[in-house]
Amino acid sequence: MSSTPVSELISALACGAVGIVDLTQPLTESTPTIQLPSPFANTPGLTREAISHYDDRGPAWAWYTLTLGEHVGTHVDAPIHWVTGRDGLDIGSVTADTLVGPACVIDKTAETEAANGDYLLTVADLQAWEDAHGRIPDGGWVLLRTGWSSRAHDQDEFLNVGEHGPRTPGPDVEASRWLAGERGIAGFGTETVGIDAGCAGGMEPPFPLHNFLLGAGRLGLTQLANLERLPATGALLVVAPLRLVGGTGSPSRVYAFVPGESS
């Protein structure tokens, strides 16, 4: 049988030359959710109600009704999630090839720790990463590693709301503009509750990455885990949202193919 790229991948997975890293946070009733100030409406977290559980309602099976927002846990933001992208794609219309692409991991863990969450990614950071690793490819996913996933078990630590509002890392205005306009990326991912920094509501424009990135038809990806197990380059990201017609986003299973590791 002749070798093909797919058969080579299957063989590499079988022998451990390529592994799979799960980048998804567990989704439970205690998963942290974003908290918007009054008068804005907030998303519900996960709740579930049994339809049957090996009982008179269904003696041989168990299943549940789930209630949760589209933007809970590890999830994708579709362009129509933001007003600037309102005429763009819903999550059910995003093509499968957009959801698979090379991962570009920018590690700002030390800077985020030093700033206690106030760190902002800059254009200089992005250009320095390219100087070291090469140009961010078209169709690639830029993933900001900050160590914030270690807080994902606790709502207060994860949202990190202080006297002046949330303090979580993310890109500044010019980096947001650069990501949306200077490179043909599929999307941007982060370990935090949203793709923008916690202080982004006070920027001009407010929430610039939502504004520019989703307005340009790109995707956002949030609440990632295990980014420390990905190389700066060389991993293949796979994002698997629901194909929800009209959806502004979707909880997703996200994983990466990496050289020589599995989870």
Side-chain angles (χ1 to χ4, degrees):
M1 180 181 297
S2 61
S3 176
T4 69
V6 173
S7 66
E8 291 172 4
L9 176 59
I10 292 171
S11 297
L13 287 165
C15 73
V18 171
I20 301 174
V21 175
D22 196 340
L23 304 179
T24 318
Q25 291 287 359
L27 179 59
T28 73
E29 287 83 349
S30 61
T31 292
T33 58
I34 193 167
Q35 298 296 304
L36 302 177
S38 179
F40 303 117
N42 275 295
T43 184
L46 171 66
T47 58
R48 62 187 111 195
E49 181 180 353
I51 299 170
S52 68
H53 194 80
Y54 320 119
D55 52 27
D56 291 344
R57 299 169 295 176
W61 54 91
W63 50 355
Y64 296 84
T65 298
L66 303 181
T67 300
L68 75 163
E70 296 168 312
H71 300 261
V72 172
T74 302
H75 68 271
V76 183
D77 294 346
I80 67 165
H81 174 51
W82 208 251
V83 64
T84 52
R86 64 189 304 168
D87 296 323
L89 295 177
D90 63 78
I91 197 63
S93 300
V94 173
T95 59
D97 58 348
T98 303
L99 301 171
V100 180
C104 304
V105 182
I106 300 175
D107 185 3
K108 292 298 176 182
T109 305
E111 291 87 344
T112 299
E113 183 176 358
N116 190 26
D118 285 332
Y119 181 76
L120 296 178
L121 184 73
T122 67
V123 172
D125 291 327
L126 293 162
Q127 292 173 335
W129 188 94
E130 288 195 328
D131 289 341
H133 303 289
R135 183 182 171 93
I136 295 168
D138 290 350
W141 285 81
V142 174
L143 308 180
L144 177 59
R145 178 187 165 200
T146 59
W148 211 257
S149 62
S150 65
R151 299 170 175 246
H153 64 287
D154 183 273
Q155 172 97 358
D156 291 338
E157 288 188 20
F158 193 63
L159 299 184
N160 198 35
V161 179
E163 180 181 355
H164 302 292
R167 301 174 64 190
T168 57
D172 68 12
V173 173
E174 290 309 313
S176 300
R177 196 190 313 272
W178 191 93
L179 286 162
E182 297 299 324
R183 295 294 181 268
I185 63 174
F188 178 89
T190 182
E191 297 168 271
T192 54
V193 74
I195 57 173
D196 268 295
C199 65
M203 296 180 183
E204 184 54 46
F207 305 102
L209 193 59
H210 280 84
N211 187 296
F212 296 127
L213 193 73
L214 302 187
R218 316 297 173 75
L219 305 176
L221 182 59
T222 73
Q223 288 179 253
L224 295 170
N226 296 320
L227 288 184
E228 71 279 1
R229 295 173 59 186
L230 269 58
T233 64
L236 180 65
L237 188 74
V238 180
V239 183
L242 295 173
R243 194 171 184 185
L244 179 63
V245 175
T248 71
S250 170
S252 302
R253 193 70 179 256
V254 181
Y255 54 95
F257 293 103
V258 299
E261 182 182 352
S262 62
S263 60

